[in-house]
Structure formats: structure tokens, C-alpha cells
Amino acid sequence: MVFQEGYTTGFPCCDGVTWCVDIIDGTSWECDSFYVRIRGAGVHNKWLVAHESGHTLGLTHGRNAKPVKAESDTLVGIMGDRDPLPTALGSEPKAQVDNFYG
């Protein structure tokens, strides 16, 4: 994972963005490295960093899960969209990764 700080052109909605750059044939991706950009301006929210890091592990938002889950569903955990962003992590990120990869 490569962590960066700053605005991401094309994503005015988001305080954090995760992507990979390993396109292999013009249509599919083989992601072996990820970029995580947080629009921090020197202030980094631990929950947001954990959320974006979850994307690098293959975790998705509830609306992208199969079956689709509500963003508030406990199974979505830290990968749910939150407004305002939580400031504390608690045990949620570890429990979600354990459940996903368990």
C-alpha cells in the first residue's frame, strides 16, 4: 500500500480514495499494489484510513456486497459510508477482517 495525502481529481465527493494501477489487458485488473489517498490537510482520521485500507484487502461498501447490505448493517462494519466520519476505531476493523478472511 502506498499512502498519500491530498485532493484526488475526479473524486470531489470523497475524503479518501483507493485504487490500483495494474491494468493487464485493457479490461481487467490484477492488483498487486494499491494507492490510498486521504484528503487530510495534515489531519488524518483513523477510521477513514482503516476504511480505505479495507478496500486494499478486497472489502467493499454494503451496496457493492453480494448480497447487497445496508450501510448500517453490522456485517458491513467499517466499510459502511458514514457521515459524519467516526473518530474512533474500536474493535470493528479487526473483527471485520477476521470475519471476512476467517
Side-chain angles (χ1 to χ4, degrees):
M1 282 185 270
V2 177
F3 286 90
Q4 302 173 335
E5 179 182 27
Y7 177 79
T8 304
T9 304
F11 290 92
C13 64
C14 308
D15 289 327
V17 179
T18 301
W19 73 95
C20 73
V21 293
D22 297 330
I23 194 158
I24 56 174
D25 65 5
T27 61
S28 61
W29 298 81
E30 185 175 295
C31 298
D32 59 2
S33 60
F34 290 87
Y35 291 85
V36 175
R37 185 169 297 159
I38 304 294
R39 187 189 315 182
V43 179
H44 301 93
N45 179 303
K46 291 178 183 179
W47 187 92
L48 180 60
V49 172
H51 173 95
E52 294 302 328
S53 297
H55 286 307
T56 72
L57 298 173
L59 301 177
T60 66
H61 297 136
R63 67 182 172 273
N64 302 118
K66 290 185 175 77
V68 172
K69 298 286 184 190
E71 297 299 324
S72 59
D73 191 303
T74 57
L75 290 175
V76 175
I78 197 165
M79 297 311 295
D81 287 334
R82 304 289 199 277
D83 188 19
L85 291 175
T87 56
L89 287 176
S91 61
E92 190 178 351
K94 180 184 181 310
Q96 186 172 15
V97 171
D98 286 349
N99 287 337
F100 188 81
Y101 289 102

